[in-house]
Amino acid sequence: MSDALLQHPFMSQTALSECSAEAMVAGMLAFELALAEVQEARGLLPEGVAAQMRKALEGHAFDIASIGAGVASGGNAAIPFVKQARAALPAELRRHFHLGATSQDVIDSALMLLLKPRLAALDRLLRRCRSAALALMQAHETTVMVGRTLMQQALPITFGVKVAHWGIGLEQARRRLAPLELPVQFGGAVAVHSGLDGPGLDGPGLDGQGSDETDPGGLGLELMDALAQRLELSVPVLPWHTDRQPIHALATALDAVAGAAEKLALDVALLTQTEVGEVSEPGGEGMGESSSMPHKRNPVRCALIRGAARQVHGYVSVILNAHAQPLERGLGEWHAEWTPLLDSALLVEGALEQAAVLLEGLKVHPEAMRRNLAATGGGIMAEPVSRLLAPTLGQEAAKRISAEAAETARLQGVAYADALQAHPELQGQVEAQALRQATDPALYLGSSQAQVRRAAAWLQRE
């Protein structure tokens, strides 16, 4: 399939291997076996049934292709999976398998099981990015560069404060993602645990009143809670078949991480341009090479991050549009979530793998930053010069003279301070030392250094 060439390179290869079709089947099986175990513990199944199911199914070779083909007739992978599992069980166990569950319980819970290690991996990568950003911003706390607004040179900042914003963006996204819960799904046909406390079950004391005489029907909720504990997923308030808040929260949190990584990649890509050259990506065998131009070194890591992020943004729009689902089961909306949700996690993980390497190995070129500060002949310092001159010459004259001297410096290739001193209207008006200080970018950094220190303190707080 073309995915191996067109989509998978943007994803984490580790995540891809751990989120295979086989892994999805393993997740569905984990749900079913755990369900049998908690049901047996509550007396709904004869003693020993769950262990017999596990023995029969854990080593069973499920036919993945057949399960995939079965989706076309059933609408989801759980239906053909359950059929195969039952067929693999001894006849006396089949009626106990998938008891009280519905397809959505199996699919949603299996997806949560697949995503749980992915969120842990994302957290590790984001912490790695945080450490790299801290080291980089502190190393360049006083490295002066030009700040740019609307793609044009504006006023000086430090490279450290730029990195601080990258680090804060990624860490904000991490702190948004980290507390998210991945809930188990278990509600049965219409999400009210139908049939678990009715006639025909094997357990003692099942009289239609649930597990507690004061809480009719409460057995289903108890099973849901026990199932969550056994699978190490979170406990929802209620089954969430058409309450897709958990999916909405997860998708938007993943998109926030993607956006933070994309911001880093966009800035780095712009700063690597030949005419700018203030940073460059870390190298590697074949990294950044062109198929036709041997001299090029393209910012490929940035391209991979941005390509992944753009796909995530698109996927999230699908999930947002599927958020409101009808009645007790979605018709197409639920089905539309599966690929966008899982692929978003894989794409974000791939983007963060690149982002971590980028931050850890980013090459910074202060000499190019100094060169670019002088690209306007010192014109970026016209604003502080104008402020210096205004009390003596008036605001309009100060603004005009500061601009004229900047243009002279640019055209003649002289220092801005020298052009100012040579301006006929400034003769004897302002001391040379004051002019030099006003035109020194390193003396006009605002709160850049204080921001780096404040950001570092915040990043180091849990």
Side-chain angles (χ1 to χ4, degrees):
M1 293 178 64
S2 60
D3 286 353
L5 301 180
L6 302 181
Q7 186 184 36
H8 292 174
F10 293 89
M11 296 176 167
S12 164
Q13 300 308 298
T14 299
L16 267 173
S17 67
E18 295 179 5
C19 292
S20 61
E22 290 78 8
M24 183 65 185
V25 168
M28 292 191 289
L29 181 59
F31 168 84
E32 295 286 7
L33 294 178
L35 177 61
E37 288 167 353
V38 299
Q39 288 174 337
E40 182 178 322
R42 291 291 295 117
L44 272 71
L45 301 182
E47 186 176 350
V49 162
Q52 293 175 58
M53 285 185 184
R54 185 173 293 277
K55 183 177 179 180
L57 294 176
E58 276 198 328
H60 180 69
F62 286 90
D63 185 341
I64 303 295
S66 178
I67 292 175
V71 174
S73 58
N76 65 75
I79 294 172
F81 162 75
V82 169
K83 288 180 180 178
Q84 280 195 28
R86 280 187 172 140
L89 288 171
E92 65 272 15
L93 297 180
R94 291 172 186 169
R95 69 189 182 96
H96 300 305
F97 187 79
H98 192 65
L99 180 66
T102 192
S103 300
Q104 186 163 1
D105 296 335
V106 183
I107 295 292
D108 280 349
S109 295
L111 282 172
M112 296 301 101
L113 290 172
L114 280 184
L115 286 166
K116 187 174 181 179
R118 302 281 52 86
L119 296 194
L122 292 179
D123 191 75
R124 289 192 297 271
L125 285 166
L126 283 163
R127 289 174 183 274
R128 187 174 151 194
C129 288
R130 181 179 66 184
S131 296
L134 268 166
L136 194 60
M137 62 195 261
Q138 290 171 330
H140 292 281
E141 181 180 315
T142 59
T143 301
V144 184
M145 66 178 296
V146 66
R148 298 170 173 93
T149 61
L150 302 180
M151 306 299 285
Q152 303 295 305
Q153 290 200 355
L155 290 170
I157 61 173
T158 68
F159 184 64
V161 81
K162 179 175 287 295
V163 179
H165 283 287
W166 299 340
I168 287 172
L170 289 164
E171 178 63 10
Q172 284 176 326
R174 188 192 73 80
R175 294 183 190 184
R176 177 176 173 181
L177 187 65
L180 289 185
E181 296 183 337
L182 299 178
V184 76
Q185 181 72 280
F186 179 59
V190 288
V192 294
H193 305 109
S194 306
L196 284 175
D197 50 5
L201 297 177
D202 294 306
L206 299 174
D207 56 2
Q209 297 303 308
S211 62
D212 187 333
E213 292 182 359
T214 64
D215 181 19
L219 176 61
L221 292 172
E222 289 186 17
L223 288 171
M224 181 181 74
D225 295 354
L227 184 57
Q229 183 176 12
R230 189 167 291 266
L231 291 173
E232 297 183 336
L233 295 173
S234 69
V235 177
V237 178
L238 299 176
W240 44 283
H241 287 176
T242 52
D243 171 16
R244 307 312 282 174
Q245 290 293 341
I247 302 300
H248 186 285
L250 180 55
T252 53
L254 288 170
D255 190 60
V257 179
E262 186 179 13
K263 163 62 175 170
L264 160 68
L266 177 58
D267 280 4
V268 169
L270 290 171
L271 296 178
T272 64
Q273 293 177 96
T274 305
E275 294 82 0
V276 180
E278 294 178 355
V279 301
S280 54
E281 285 192 353
E285 183 65 31
M287 286 300 298
E289 65 183 10
S290 166
S291 64
S292 60
M293 293 170 280
H295 68 283
K296 289 192 72 182
R297 184 172 162 192
N298 300 314
V300 173
R301 296 188 195 279
C302 293
L304 290 171
I305 293 169
R306 297 196 71 210
R310 293 300 179 88
Q311 293 179 72
V312 173
H313 301 331
Y315 276 146
V316 171
S317 71
V318 174
I319 292 174
L320 296 182
N321 280 298
H323 182 64
Q325 300 190 9
L327 306 176
E328 281 67 57
R329 188 67 57 84
L331 181 66
E333 297 91 348
W334 171 54
H335 309 72
E337 293 173 346
W338 307 332
T339 294
L341 183 64
L342 195 55
D343 280 6
S344 289
L346 271 59
L347 287 162
V348 170
E349 192 169 339
L352 288 181
E353 287 175 350
Q354 296 295 341
V357 172
L358 187 61
L359 284 167
E360 289 166 350
L362 190 68
K363 300 185 188 307
V364 183
H365 308 299
E367 70 285 354
M369 294 176 178
R370 288 191 292 271
R371 181 196 69 218
N372 292 333
L373 281 164
T376 62
I380 62 167
M381 302 305 294
E383 191 262 348
V385 167
S386 179
R387 289 175 59 186
L388 173 69
L389 301 179
T392 303
L393 303 175
Q395 189 170 357
E396 292 302 319
K399 185 176 180 180
R400 173 179 55 80
I401 291 169
S402 64
E404 290 173 355
E407 183 67 3
T408 298
R410 185 183 69 83
L411 293 174
Q412 296 181 6
V414 299
Y416 187 25
D418 293 339
L420 284 165
Q421 290 181 57
H423 195 285
E425 295 182 53
L426 290 184
Q427 301 305 306
Q429 297 289 332
V430 182
E431 293 183 0
Q433 180 62 23
L435 289 173
R436 294 205 177 276
Q437 288 182 344
T439 58
D440 184 355
L443 300 178
Y444 201 72
L445 297 173
S447 62
S448 291
Q449 289 177 255
Q451 286 193 29
V452 170
R453 293 166 189 167
R454 183 180 177 123
W458 182 82
L459 287 169
Q460 292 175 89
R461 286 202 312 263
E462 279 298 324

